[in-house]
Amino acid sequence: MPTSVMNTPTAPQGTSVAAAPAAPNTTSNAPNTPGAETRGRERQGSFGGSTRAKILKPFNTANIKILLLENVNETAVRALQDQGYQVETHAKALAEDVLIEKIKDVHCVGIRSKTKLTKKVLDAAEKLGVIGCFCIGTNQVDLEHAASKGIAVFNSPFSNSRSVAELVIAEIVLLSRQLGDRNNEMHQGIWSKVSANCYEIRGKTLGIIGYGHIGSQLSVLAESMGMRVLFHDVVPLMPLGTSKQVGSLDELLENSDFVTLHVPETEETKNMIGEHELYKMKQGSFLINASRGTIVQISALAKALRSGHIGGAAVDVFPKEPAANGKFFESELIGCPNTLLTPHIGGSTEEAQSMIGVEVSQALIKFINNGTSIGAVNFPEVDLRAIRDEENSIRLCYTHANVPGVLLRITNILADHNVDKQFSDSKGKIAYLMADISDVTPEQIQDIYRRVSETPTNIVTRVLY
Ligand SMILES: NC(=O)c1ccc[n+]([C@@H]2O[C@H](COP(=O)([O-])OP(=O)(O)OC[C@H]3O[C@@H](n4cnc5c(N)ncnc54)[C@H](O)[C@@H]3O)[C@@H](O)[C@H]2O)c1
Ligand SMILES: O=C(O)[C@H](O)COP(=O)(O)O
């Protein structure tokens, strides 16, 4: 595979700082901003007593372009700007043609759940090395294609879990008391005081489908409200509190008063809840979906709500969601009885967005500056302990096809050098190797870079120093 443009090395300039090949599309030899460098040193602390840890960075961080879409939180914008990167922000998702034009030139893109990074979009991205999903879901990215191009994808696996769990707790109470309908009536000037089919949630059974970060957090909150919790998951999991894992989806549906979905969007979960499953649910029971819109068949749910078989639903996610605020929303669920519709706000709290901004921006910075891929969702997870702060030490980051014989080839290239440490791992068709090499001259760095990036298995080669 070809070496991406973002990894073109700079020519040797005579000093270690100036000479090393650069990461993302470095064109200038200006040093990093002093502020960022000092902060980095403080963070990494001393290395083995008297020797400090080296601050690895792509050479001129001002040349690194970051595109942040969908109103990514200010905490991320600041953190990325503090590194000296060029950061362009947009409040909304971009139309595909605009995105294709914008993404051509950037080294990193930050998105939320709306931006679709398809094969077509990724193929237009000539310099892209890393993607940050400032959310939990990563189904909006063609992860495999990104990996095949050496593009690592990071997300925030749990920073908004609590926000979703709290919303679901609120919805359980609201549905149980038909609060959506009562509220609508009052706003129309209609006084309608009813207790028929309104219930306390104490003693009722909550069925959680998908007992991951959100499902398990919800389980604890629901039990503290006096609910009994059943859950269904594809893997056996430790039940929290007195909750109980059931043997099948049907068993959960048949025994729950409230059913709530917390699974990712996958081939298996698409249309997971249709007519058959809805009619397995108890008469008058409630359905909540704050996972992904494709998991519930909307027509079947609307029919079950209108027939009264399902007593109410809260839906936060839809198969087709408007691209931005103010755009028209349509759904067969509009006007269904006791149905709460929210515009994908499960993770939309100040706390969650701020934490996500910090978490994902740190992962991006570590990947760009240090090559660290820990936490990547589509990429082998590799890290090395800090590199010594010595002039002529470098870090080689090599993303390559996962085929036999590669390590031997790299060992031959590095045979005459002092490899301080090296680690490599693979995931599916790609593998990632990091090696710290000391005592290398600028000419040797150029030679290592050239020979590694010319290997037939090369996807992306970077040298950090
Ligand atoms: N509405 C929102 O704003 C919002 C916010 C955050 C997350 N989400 C969605 O919620 C989903 C779940 O989030 P999470 O953090 O709990 O994820 P998670 O990965 O921690 O947990 C998902 C669980 O689902 C299970 N699972 C997968 N496939 C399954 C199947 N076919 N049947 C049963 N269980 C299955 C997994 O084993 C796992 O335990 C995310 O993927 C995202 O799409 C929505
Ligand atoms: O995947 C997620 O974390 C949620 O769906 C939230 O997505 P958002 O950041 O687009 O609100």
Side-chain angles (χ1 to χ4, degrees):
M1 292 223 200
T3 304
S4 120
V5 178
M6 71 177 268
N7 301 292
T8 307
T10 49
Q13 300 290 315
T15 70
S16 68
V17 170
N25 199 33
T26 299
T27 52
S28 145
N29 297 315
N32 298 321
T33 56
E37 178 137 339
T38 310
R39 272 189 298 280
R41 282 187 195 283
E42 282 164 2
R43 258 201 319 274
Q44 294 201 18
S46 66
F47 183 94
S50 57
T51 313
R52 309 201 76 150
K54 187 164 186 166
I55 309 301
L56 286 168
K57 271 183 185 250
F59 192 55
N60 186 352
T61 52
N63 286 331
I64 292 181
K65 291 190 181 164
I66 315 249
L67 177 66
L68 296 181
L69 307 176
E70 301 185 61
N71 208 18
V72 164
N73 194 262
E74 193 52 34
T75 51
V77 180
R78 271 201 308 275
L80 296 167
Q81 282 172 341
D82 280 354
Q83 293 294 321
Y85 308 149
Q86 288 178 48
V87 182
E88 179 179 334
T89 59
H90 291 262
K92 298 174 186 170
L94 300 177
E96 191 182 72
D97 54 332
V98 184
L99 178 60
I100 283 177
E101 205 41 50
K102 285 259 175 220
I103 209 168
K104 263 190 187 139
D105 204 26
V106 302
H107 304 105
C108 167
V109 65
I111 59 167
R112 289 174 60 185
S113 63
K114 284 216 166 17
T115 303
K116 305 275 177 268
L117 295 179
T118 57
K119 181 174 185 298
K120 184 176 169 194
V121 173
L122 293 174
D123 283 342
E126 292 165 9
K127 299 176 183 173
L128 194 64
V130 60
I131 295 168
C133 295
F134 286 79
C135 55
I136 291 181
T138 52
N139 56 296
Q140 67 280 35
V141 181
D142 187 334
L143 295 175
E144 210 175 314
H145 193 61
S148 76
K149 293 172 74 77
I151 301 169
V153 181
F154 294 89
N155 72 339
S156 172
F158 49 77
S159 290
N160 67 18
S161 313
R162 173 72 187 203
S163 300
V164 180
E166 286 188 12
L167 180 71
V168 173
I169 286 289
E171 289 171 340
I172 292 169
V173 179
L174 295 184
L175 290 173
S176 198
R177 301 294 294 274
Q178 302 179 357
L179 229 73
D181 288 357
R182 293 299 88 75
N183 180 58
N184 285 341
E185 288 156 5
M186 292 295 271
H187 279 283
Q188 291 166 43
I190 301 167
W191 185 270
S192 173
K193 179 170 168 165
V194 288
S195 54
N197 296 320
C198 292
Y199 302 96
E200 291 183 355
I201 66 167
R202 177 172 53 164
K204 304 298 182 298
T205 300
L206 174 64
I208 301 173
I209 304 176
Y211 202 67
H213 290 111
I214 298 172
S216 56
Q217 174 75 203
L218 177 61
S219 166
V220 174
L221 296 179
E223 284 200 342
S224 73
M225 306 278 287
M227 299 187 84
R228 187 170 83 98
V229 175
L230 301 177
F231 67 89
H232 165 66
D233 203 291
V234 277
V235 288
L237 290 164
M238 186 185 78
L240 298 181
T242 58
S243 65
K244 185 168 169 273
Q245 183 158 13
V246 294
S248 68
L249 178 59
D250 279 359
E251 190 181 342
L252 179 129
L253 297 172
E254 285 162 5
N255 290 291
S256 302
D257 301 301
F258 297 83
V259 171
T260 184
L261 288 153
H262 301 289
V263 288
E265 181 184 83
T266 63
E267 278 314 308
E268 291 73 42
T269 60
K270 270 189 193 158
N271 295 324
M272 185 181 204
I273 303 293
E275 189 177 351
H276 168 83
E277 290 73 24
L278 290 165
Y279 281 89
K280 282 272 170 194
M281 287 173 63
K282 288 183 184 179
Q283 171 73 34
S285 60
F286 305 94
L287 182 76
I288 299 171
N289 185 17
S291 57
R292 280 293 179 263
T294 51
I295 289 161
V296 174
Q297 289 176 23
I298 296 291
S299 302
L301 176 59
K303 213 166 124 201
L305 283 162
R306 291 191 193 281
S307 75
H309 177 71
I310 295 296
V315 184
D316 186 46
V317 286
F318 303 87
K320 271 198 181 152
E321 297 180 1
N325 284 350
K327 300 268 183 212
F328 187 67
F329 165 73
E330 59 178 341
S331 170
E332 286 175 69
L333 294 172
I334 292 175
C336 284
N338 199 19
T339 301
L340 303 168
L341 303 179
T342 47
H344 201 146
I345 53 164
S348 298
T349 61
E350 297 284 358
E351 291 91 339
Q353 292 309 311
S354 158
M355 282 192 290
I356 289 171
V358 172
E359 189 185 5
V360 180
S361 62
Q362 288 312 312
L364 297 176
I365 291 165
K366 281 187 188 162
F367 184 77
I368 295 170
N369 292 2
N370 294 343
T372 306
S373 62
I374 301 295
V377 295
N378 67 333
F379 216 73
E381 294 188 68
V382 175
D383 194 12
L384 289 179
R385 66 177 191 279
I387 191 168
R388 281 178 193 281
D389 194 5
E390 290 165 356
E391 272 220 336
N392 299 327
S393 54
I394 59 161
R395 174 165 291 176
L396 173 70
C397 302
Y398 176 53
T399 309
H400 60 90
N402 183 20
V403 294
V406 179
L407 292 182
L408 177 62
R409 222 175 266 133
I410 297 300
T411 303
N412 283 335
I413 294 172
L414 302 181
D416 295 331
H417 297 287
N418 185 26
V419 177
D420 283 337
K421 50 193 179 299
Q422 177 172 317
F423 186 67
S424 143
D425 201 356
S426 64
K427 186 167 186 166
K429 291 184 183 154
I430 69 152
Y432 186 47
L433 172 144
M434 277 167 78
D436 286 352
I437 306 156
S438 56
D439 300 325
V440 269
T441 64
E443 292 71 26
Q444 287 171 330
I445 297 171
Q446 287 295 321
D447 184 59
I448 292 171
Y449 175 83
R450 182 186 55 75
R451 290 175 68 195
V452 172
S453 58
E454 283 175 0
T455 53
T457 45
N458 176 67
I459 297 176
V460 171
T461 301
R462 294 202 293 156
V463 175
L464 304 168
Y465 53 95

